[in-house]
Every structure is written in C-alpha cells, then in structure tokens.
Amino acid sequence: MATRPVEFPHQDDLPDYLPARMVNEFVYCPRLFFYEWVEGIFRESVHTVEGSVQHARVDKEGGDLPPAEEMPDDLKTQAITLSSERLRVVAKMDVVQVEDGYARPIDYKRGRPAEGDGGLALWPADRVQIVLQAMILRESGYRCEEGIVYYRATNQRVRVAITEDLIQEAEAAVAMPGKPRVKDSFQRLS
C-alpha cells in the first residue's frame, strides 16, 4: 500500500499571527512550545483536562466588545478575540471587564500564583500573556492600565499594572530569537 505525502497549506494561506497563549508556552518552556506549535504534538494530562473543564464557562461566546469610541463606562464580556497588527499576535481573552471607561483583561489559570517579594506575583509566562492582552486592547483603542490573572487552585486574583518595563518584556518575548512564526514552521515541514 503506497503512502501519500502530507499536503500542507500553501504558505501564503497561513496566518502570520502567533497566539498569545503560545507566547506563554514559549516563555514557560521553548521545547514544549516547539512540540505543540511547530510539531503539532499535544498530550492531554489530568491538568490539561481539568483546565479545559474549568475554562468551559469563560470560553463561551460572551458577546462583542464595542469599538473603543463607543465603549460604555461599565461592561463585562467573555471570550473576546483581538489581534495586534504591529506585534502579529492574536489573543483570546477570557474576560474583558470595563470599569469607569478602562478595559481590563482577566485571564483564568488552573494553578496557583508565584510568591514575590511583596506577596503574590505572576509567573513570568502568565505575566507576558496578560501584558500582551493589555497591549492588544490598547492597540485597538481601549484604555487599559492593568490586567488580572485569576488562579483557580487558590481562588486568588493577582493584579498587574501595565508598565513600560513589562511592555518591553512582552515585546522581547514576541521577538525572541529561535521562536518560529506560523509560516516559518510550515516552511520547515514542507
């Protein structure tokens, strides 16, 4: 029995946007990122299944985010997908909460927060992901000064102010050498 070669999509048809979630994976473990993003290998574990179940509620379509110029002072919506042309990153935000005209991304994580010098802190990969979400909101015209990561294992919220240092950290993660883009991944495989 003859095997047929695997046909990959034409390179021009591939998206050139990297999911913010994959940037999180790259910061956490470049090897895991390579397996999941480049090779397409993903193995379920008790942790990933549990995380999927916990995410089911926030992953439901929650409505649209109005254009920035029409944003009400208060709003809460779920499963918002926005992208950054400048960064070439796309993010599915679990929740976007607007209070007093300021948008705030809220990301849900299965685990527990890190311990920092001043108490609870974000893990570096989670910090980069939430800052990317805030940057994408800003690029889309929304006012965004902070993000929140909610850790389900401890039922704790960790707030992070979006500072210039954190923006530079997130931009460096997106531009990190050795991190393949979508089109580059398929070029090597074809």
Side-chain angles (χ1 to χ4, degrees), residues 1-184:
M1 179 170 166
T3 59
R4 300 176 74 189
V6 175
E7 291 187 31
F8 291 100
H10 189 272
Q11 182 178 352
D12 294 335
D13 297 335
L14 294 173
D16 194 24
Y17 287 80
L18 189 64
R21 176 72 187 113
M22 284 292 107
V23 178
N24 174 305
E25 290 292 343
F26 187 78
V27 171
Y28 174 72
C29 177
R31 183 175 179 208
L32 179 62
F33 166 85
F34 182 83
Y35 284 135
E36 289 182 3
W37 185 246
V38 179
E39 296 292 328
I41 299 170
F42 182 79
R43 301 261 188 246
E44 290 284 357
S45 70
V46 69
H47 301 295
T48 61
V49 171
E50 186 178 301
S52 294
V53 169
Q54 291 176 349
H55 251 274
R57 188 183 54 179
V58 294
D59 282 345
K60 293 178 186 169
E61 292 301 322
D64 295 324
L65 195 59
E69 59 276 0
E70 299 172 16
M71 180 64 74
D73 284 343
D74 295 295
L75 173 75
K76 184 175 181 180
T77 189
Q78 299 174 179
I80 298 298
T81 301
L82 294 173
S83 62
S84 166
E85 181 71 24
R86 182 179 68 84
L87 297 170
R88 309 298 285 176
V89 172
V90 62
K92 182 173 183 181
M93 299 173 208
D94 294 338
V95 174
V96 175
Q97 183 177 24
V98 179
E99 290 179 349
D100 300 322
Y102 286 87
R104 176 186 307 121
I106 302 172
D107 200 50
Y108 287 77
K109 301 292 183 190
R110 181 193 162 278
R112 60 186 66 243
E115 291 290 332
D117 294 337
L120 297 178
L122 295 176
W123 297 103
D126 296 344
R127 183 176 58 236
V128 165
Q129 184 178 359
I130 198 73
V131 171
L132 283 173
Q133 291 178 9
M135 292 169 66
I136 290 170
L137 283 166
R138 285 181 175 184
E139 189 173 310
S140 298
Y142 302 98
R143 296 183 300 169
C144 182
E145 301 298 324
E146 73 172 2
I148 296 174
V149 176
Y150 177 79
Y151 290 95
R152 288 191 184 269
T154 58
N155 293 322
Q156 293 173 301
R157 291 175 153 222
V158 180
R159 293 177 181 266
V160 61
I162 309 304
T163 64
E164 192 56 41
D165 288 345
L166 294 182
I167 289 171
Q168 288 176 6
E169 177 187 36
E171 288 176 339
V174 170
M176 200 172 281
K179 178 181 53 50
R181 303 299 290 184
V182 180
K183 288 184 181 180
D184 297 339

